[in-house]
Amino acid sequence: MLDNLTLADLQIIWFILVGVLFSGYAVLDGFDLGTGTLQFFIKGDENRRLMLNAVGPVWDGNEVWLITGGGALFAAFPYVYASVFSGFYLAFMLLLLTLIFRAVSIEFRSKQPMPWWRKGWDITFSVSSLLAALLIGVAMGNVTRGIPLDDQGNFTGTFLSLLNPYAILLGLTTVALFAMHGGIFLMMK
């Protein structure tokens, strides 16, 4: 059976695999991004700690889906990977920064007992979660809308051209969807 696979068949298989990996990331990391976004509206240190404890055992494992999806995209479609990562470079660096600050805020929140310390890390966690969800949605909005490429497949737009109304609307929708996902997760916990 493997002898009969054509290049087009392999591309379809890899396309589905990359789609499953990025969709898995959105579904599995969406609830903790949503939980972080909802933390803006939660009163009391104990309630915010309970929210963090709910996502604590699984939040870092969810990023594995994102890393694996990026690796699969690089392995299967190197030209697409090069175009996307060169075009969305600033947006991806911002996303990486938000994911780093989320991780740091979860780890550092309980290191000191002072209320201002915890509140500062809670704000960092919430802002990072909201921005990460927004950036993921804006990136998906640009991918579905289409990005300007030249004949060699190089990105010809600017960072500001990525902030078009459709992409921003999809980014806000992603924030709302992840917040709903996080709320459902918290209700189940």
Side-chain angles (χ1 to χ4, degrees):
M1 179 180 160
L2 291 178
D3 295 335
N4 297 332
L5 285 178
T6 65
L7 180 61
D9 295 332
L10 288 175
Q11 289 173 336
I12 291 169
I13 290 168
W14 274 104
F15 182 79
I16 292 169
L17 178 63
V18 168
V20 165
L21 290 170
F22 284 128
S23 297
Y25 172 74
V27 169
L28 294 175
D29 203 36
F31 73 84
D32 64 44
L33 289 171
T35 301
T37 302
L38 290 175
Q39 200 169 27
F40 275 124
F41 307 105
I42 301 302
K43 303 279 188 239
D45 182 62
E46 183 178 344
N47 291 331
R48 287 192 293 270
R49 183 182 51 78
L50 288 172
M51 287 177 74
L52 285 174
N53 288 346
V55 297
V58 294
W59 70 269
D60 56 348
N62 295 333
E63 274 78 20
V64 171
W65 288 84
L66 184 63
I67 294 167
T68 307
L73 186 64
F74 175 72
F77 306 106
Y79 293 117
V80 173
Y81 179 88
S83 295
V84 168
F85 274 78
S86 65
F88 294 175
Y89 184 76
L90 184 56
F92 284 153
M93 288 299 109
L94 288 172
L95 178 62
L96 182 62
L97 216 70
T98 62
L99 294 176
I100 289 170
F101 273 106
R102 283 182 73 244
V104 169
S105 64
I106 289 171
E107 295 296 327
F108 279 20
R109 182 188 189 275
S110 299
K111 298 295 183 193
Q112 298 291 326
M114 290 92 64
W116 63 268
W117 175 268
R118 291 182 178 199
K119 185 164 181 76
W121 287 115
D122 287 341
I123 291 170
T124 302
F125 180 65
S126 295
V127 169
S128 297
S129 297
L130 183 122
L131 285 176
L134 182 70
L135 288 168
I136 290 168
V138 168
M140 287 295 100
N142 279 296
V143 167
T144 57
R145 181 177 178 260
I147 57 173
L149 300 175
D150 63 12
D151 294 340
Q152 287 81 33
N154 298 319
F155 179 71
T156 59
T158 64
F159 177 72
L160 292 178
S161 69
L162 298 175
L163 301 177
N164 58 71
Y166 177 75
I168 291 172
L169 179 64
L170 194 59
L172 293 173
T173 303
T174 303
V175 170
L177 182 68
F178 284 177
M180 181 190 68
H181 194 72
I184 293 169
F185 175 77
L186 289 172
M187 291 298 291
M188 289 175 45
K189 284 299 244 181

